[in-house]
Amino acid sequence: MTYYRFLFGLANSIIRLIWRPRYRNTVAVPAVGAAVICANHTFALDPILIALSIHRPVHFLAKEELYQNPLLRFILQRTNMIPVKRGLNDRQAMRISLKYLNQGEILGVFPEGTRSKTAELLEFYDGAVYFAMKTGAPLIPAAIIGRYRWFTAMQVVYGEAIAVEKAETPDREIMRRLTGRLAEEIAVLKRGSYGD
């Protein structure tokens, strides 16, 4: 058993007990091949909630400051996270992200670049679209719905994949349009009603 499966299996037991997560339309995530999952971000456990919803490892970008804590560094290194220097053109993080996508794996990105303290969507950065355009991987919009209150349900709702045409040099205008579409799709998913 890999560290990834062990650590996420442990997290799964705790999260299912406390937040009873519900996952909608997970079939939108391809069973094989590269994809870029993009979600809103409000809480530190968002990457875990997403990773638990699908049966494939997800490589999330994680801010480099998290690696200063020895315990977190141990966990992040063993759960396929990619350290990124926020606010900079971090070429190492870009190379690693593109490598995983070119190997047919899944990259997880929070296009807002940070957590929203109000749960309202912040402005999206173009990074997720850049990775998708460089590799031709589809964008998979996802909305994380709920407030992480004890013993209240959380939901992850996936939207339909957005096909992206591969481009060696992504056009900035196309990137901007796709980023806008991605933000709209996630906003619609957040507003949807998915109660049981």
Side-chain angles (χ1 to χ4, degrees):
M1 175 182 284
T2 64
Y3 273 111
Y4 185 94
R5 294 202 180 280
F6 171 75
L7 291 170
F8 278 101
L10 183 63
N12 190 28
S13 301
I14 297 168
I15 285 177
R16 283 193 183 282
L17 174 67
I18 299 174
W19 290 294
R20 304 185 310 272
R22 292 181 175 48
Y23 303 115
R24 311 286 181 195
N25 196 32
T26 55
V27 294
V29 181
V32 294
V36 183
I37 294 176
C38 303
N40 57 309
H41 193 19
T42 61
F43 197 66
L45 295 177
D46 289 343
I48 297 172
L49 203 60
I50 290 201
L52 293 176
S53 70
I54 59 175
H55 299 289
R56 298 178 60 192
V58 182
H59 305 278
F60 278 96
L61 293 165
K63 63 181 178 182
E64 189 180 56
E65 298 93 304
L66 295 175
Y67 287 77
Q68 293 170 3
N69 178 302
L71 177 60
L72 271 179
R73 182 174 56 245
F74 177 85
I75 294 170
L76 294 171
Q77 288 175 338
R78 283 155 182 81
T79 53
N80 304 324
M81 303 295 176
I82 303 165
V84 61
K85 298 179 179 85
R86 294 188 307 170
L88 300 174
N89 190 8
D90 187 343
R91 293 188 179 279
Q92 176 71 2
M94 292 169 67
R95 271 194 295 273
I96 295 170
S97 300
L98 292 172
K99 179 190 82 170
Y100 284 135
L101 288 171
N102 284 323
Q103 290 174 348
E105 300 184 40
I106 295 181
L107 181 68
V109 178
F110 296 106
E112 298 160 285
T114 190
R115 287 182 278 169
S116 169
K117 293 178 178 152
T118 64
E120 296 298 319
L121 286 181
L122 305 175
E123 186 174 342
F124 277 30
Y125 290 93
D126 291 336
V129 170
Y130 175 83
F131 291 131
M133 291 185 72
K134 285 289 282 184
T135 60
L139 293 161
I140 313 293
I144 298 172
I145 303 170
R147 295 179 180 253
Y148 285 101
R149 292 193 176 132
W150 289 78
F151 305 110
T152 61
M154 293 294 300
Q155 293 187 71
V156 177
V157 182
Y158 289 95
E160 297 306 314
I162 300 172
V164 176
E165 189 172 330
K166 185 175 181 178
E168 189 60 37
T169 306
D171 180 86
R172 288 196 175 276
E173 179 56 26
I174 295 173
M175 285 175 59
R176 190 186 65 74
R177 285 202 305 266
L178 280 171
T179 299
R181 180 177 169 193
L182 186 61
E184 288 174 15
E185 297 271 351
I186 293 174
V188 168
L189 292 171
K190 276 178 54 91
R191 288 193 301 267
S193 175
Y194 301 96
D196 288 333

